[in-house]
Amino acid sequence: MNRYENLANVLSDRIEQGLYPAGIRLPSVRVLSSEHGVSVSTVQQAYRVLEEKQLVEARPKSGYFVKDARIQAALPAVCRPTQRPVDISQWDQVLELITSPHRPGVIQLGRGSPDVTAATLKPLSRLMGRAGQHQNLNAFHYDSIYGSEDLREQIARLMIDSGSHMDATNILITTGCHEALSIAIRSVCEHGDIVAVDSPSFHGAMQTLKGFGMKALEIPTDPVTGISLEALEMALEQWPIKAIQLTPNCNNPLGYNMPDDRKKSLLRLAQRYDIAIIEDDVYGELAYQYPRPATITSFDEDGRVLLCSSFSKTLAPGLRVGWIAPGRYHDRALHMKYITTGASATLPQIAIADFIKQGHYLQHMRRMRNQYQRNLCIMTEWVMKYFPCGSRVSRPQGGFLLWIELDERVDTQRLNRLLEEHLVQIAIGSIFSASGKYRNCLRINFAQTLTAKTERAVQQVGLTISQMLENC
């Protein structure tokens, strides 16, 4: 961590703990420089970080002040436990979401894509071109079924921050995280099996279960602490569950980071009932805190956790480079990899490995985490300003997705239809449920640079919701 980031974190903690109350004048640049033994420019950069996070404000000729505390919206409610495993539906709605980004002129508030316009990605473009020109055609041949050794070594180094000390030989490169999840599911489950999932949950993982003829058992999930361990334990006692699939860090769509003690308790449950955990960590690197939160895998001593991730959310989805660390299921996962795509594309693996080795990846991640945290503050303000009173809003601890719960009378599928004429699209809540729950919820993306056009789109969503309520 840079010195200015470390100082920014110290000041941020003091603000959150109430040591620096709202409205109070913060120590001067020179005082902090002397107190912490850093340069004046380091202190100024730390204050800029806090300004971007909307924690402090600069007043001309007066210094820096803690911003007034804002009234926060209520958090989304925890769903009621599902009585039984269900066949997964919602494919038509998912298909509509994933095919619509190509419609010209539409403002996509619902997509799950990062900002790919950042200047810190330019070195990756250069490395992609260079890899194709100077690799003696190696980039145009099949790579190993395991994937690039260089890339696997870089991934193993990156995962040290998450507490996972794994050997590169235990990592398999995949075609995105989606394939990693698919491999993980087929490595531990068969047709007709039951998989417990956090709820709401990533629609891609559930549609994978649907495609393999498996059933999902939705477990209530808290928007701050994650999957209910009490409800999960009751489900494990009642049903022959084969695996637990969840996203414990920077969850999609709720945004929480599951506390470490609950991750350890979850792992103990899996050990007691001898089942696998499929951990989706695709957003973990985008946590606003530093160091980033630990994975469940980092506490796993018997190899029952299959860790899945990719560079789709941290770099660019079009790279289609992901990976899986399948633990004790390595041989089975390798076979599943072979019968699906075989070796993954070589060229992007070479470029990403070089991008990481040359230090560009960490620089890019610092920029994007700051941007996403800043955008979260702005988007939350817009939602509270333009949406009807009583709307419940998540408080993401990382990533770039916001989950909103509306009045029960609002059907977000109908809302999406009404927004078509305004060239705006959201992600409807029901696709994040195996059984079609959350019809009054939606997910909004705040990754891109937020503009007046984006604000007008959010305003239009809020206006349309209000009109729907008036007509109820």
Side-chain angles (χ1 to χ4, degrees):
M1 188 188 299
N2 291 329
R3 288 184 176 183
Y4 76 87
E5 291 177 312
N6 186 53
L7 178 57
N9 284 344
V10 170
L11 295 173
S12 176
D13 288 342
R14 291 177 181 176
I15 291 170
E16 290 177 2
Q17 293 166 9
L19 299 178
Y20 294 145
I24 197 170
R25 184 179 185 274
L26 290 161
S28 71
V29 170
R30 294 196 179 279
V31 166
L32 284 177
S33 173
S34 174
E35 178 184 338
H36 293 272
V38 297
S39 66
V40 167
S41 62
T42 296
V43 178
Q44 290 171 332
Q45 204 163 359
Y47 270 139
R48 279 196 291 273
V49 170
L50 296 178
E51 282 186 284
E52 289 176 348
K53 293 181 178 181
Q54 304 289 309
L55 291 176
V56 308
E57 59 182 351
R59 297 179 187 173
K61 300 182 179 180
S62 298
Y64 291 91
F65 292 77
V66 179
K67 276 200 166 186
D68 291 335
R70 294 179 175 84
I71 298 173
Q72 290 185 314
L75 286 162
V78 179
C79 73
R80 283 174 286 187
T82 303
Q83 299 300 314
R84 57 184 177 79
V86 297
D87 291 315
I88 294 137
S89 54
Q90 317 306 319
W91 166 239
D92 290 342
Q93 290 81 8
V94 172
L95 183 61
E96 182 179 346
L97 175 67
I98 62 177
T99 55
S100 59
H102 303 291
R103 290 166 52 197
V106 175
I107 300 175
Q108 297 294 338
L109 295 177
R111 62 188 172 187
S113 297
D115 183 5
V116 297
T117 65
T120 43
L121 278 179
K122 288 182 179 179
L124 181 59
S125 298
R126 291 196 295 270
L127 290 167
M128 288 280 284
R130 191 178 306 162
Q133 294 171 7
H134 302 292
Q135 288 293 323
N136 297 321
L137 299 181
N138 287 341
F140 298 99
H141 288 291
Y142 286 124
D143 203 335
S144 160
I145 186 69
Y146 298 95
S148 160
E149 184 176 356
D150 272 356
L151 180 58
R152 288 183 287 129
E153 287 176 353
Q154 293 305 317
I155 290 170
R157 291 191 180 103
L158 289 176
M159 290 311 296
I160 292 174
D161 273 353
S162 73
S164 300
H165 297 273
M166 59 181 67
D167 192 274
T169 58
N170 296 324
I171 297 171
L172 304 177
I173 301 299
T174 62
T175 305
C177 188
H178 213 131
E179 187 191 24
L181 289 169
S182 174
I183 289 170
I185 290 167
R186 287 194 293 169
S187 296
V188 298
C189 302
E190 298 176 351
H191 182 93
D193 281 344
I194 301 168
V195 177
V197 298
D198 46 2
S199 181
S201 187
F202 171 49
H203 53 77
M206 287 189 295
Q207 291 303 318
T208 300
L209 296 177
K210 175 183 175 67
F212 296 147
M214 301 170 191
K215 295 180 183 292
L217 182 59
E218 296 181 80
I219 306 298
T221 300
D222 186 273
V224 175
T225 59
I227 193 167
S228 168
L229 301 180
E230 298 75 18
L232 177 60
E233 185 172 9
M234 290 178 62
L236 289 168
E237 291 176 355
Q238 187 175 2
W239 300 99
I241 294 169
K242 291 294 289 292
I244 306 163
Q245 195 282 315
L246 76 167
T247 308
N249 292 326
C250 307
N251 175 268
N252 174 17
L254 286 171
Y256 61 81
N257 290 331
M258 191 175 184
D260 285 354
D261 60 338
R262 296 185 67 81
K263 290 173 183 171
K264 294 175 184 176
S265 296
L266 173 64
L267 187 56
R268 287 194 293 269
L269 267 181
Q271 291 168 336
R272 191 195 317 166
Y273 289 90
D274 194 23
I275 62 173
I277 296 175
I278 299 171
E279 180 178 14
D280 181 352
D281 191 56
V282 72
Y283 293 93
E285 290 280 288
L286 295 175
Y288 305 146
Q289 70 184 62
Y290 186 89
R292 56 146 294 170
T295 57
I296 299 173
T297 305
S298 67
F299 307 116
D300 181 22
E301 296 180 350
D302 59 359
R304 70 178 58 251
V305 182
L306 300 93
L307 181 65
C308 304
S309 191
S310 82
F311 295 98
S312 294
K313 309 303 181 184
T314 53
L315 297 179
L319 295 169
R320 306 312 303 136
V321 176
W323 53 273
I324 178 172
R328 64 166 74 165
Y329 308 99
H330 185 275
D331 291 344
R332 176 72 173 163
L334 185 62
H335 187 224
M336 292 300 104
K337 169 62 178 168
Y338 175 72
I339 65 175
T340 49
T341 59
S344 293
T346 307
L347 179 60
Q349 293 185 60
I350 295 171
I352 293 173
D354 287 342
F355 187 76
I356 299 171
K357 281 191 286 187
Q358 294 177 22
H360 300 303
Y361 181 79
L362 294 180
Q363 180 185 3
H364 176 68
M365 292 308 301
R366 283 195 294 268
R367 173 182 177 136
M368 301 322 294
R369 283 191 290 259
N370 287 335
Q371 175 177 318
Y372 295 155
Q373 188 170 21
R374 182 172 64 251
N375 285 1
L376 167 62
C377 296
I378 297 170
M379 182 62 78
T380 302
E381 283 187 7
W382 287 350
V383 168
M384 292 182 66
K385 180 178 180 181
Y386 297 121
F387 280 41
C389 291
S391 299
R392 294 172 170 261
V393 185
S394 63
R395 296 171 198 162
Q397 295 172 290
F400 45 78
L401 301 168
L402 195 65
W403 180 256
I404 304 164
E405 180 185 341
L406 305 171
D407 188 289
E408 291 184 354
R409 294 170 293 171
V410 177
D411 183 335
T412 51
Q413 187 168 354
R414 180 167 173 264
L415 171 63
N416 225 10
R417 294 281 180 268
L418 294 172
L419 289 171
E420 285 180 358
E421 63 180 279
H422 302 286
L423 299 180
V424 177
Q425 188 192 40
I426 56 169
I428 63 175
S430 59
I431 65 174
F432 298 92
S433 166
S435 56
K437 295 178 181 178
Y438 312 115
R439 295 184 67 85
N440 62 319
C441 298
L442 64 132
R443 189 192 71 181
I444 286 181
N445 179 301
F446 52 84
Q448 308 299 317
T449 300
L450 300 181
T451 64
K453 187 176 181 181
T454 316
E455 182 176 9
R456 287 194 296 271
V458 175
Q459 184 177 14
Q460 183 59 59
V461 176
L463 177 62
T464 306
I465 295 168
S466 297
Q467 292 171 343
M468 290 175 69
L469 289 171
E470 288 175 4
N471 295 326
C472 285

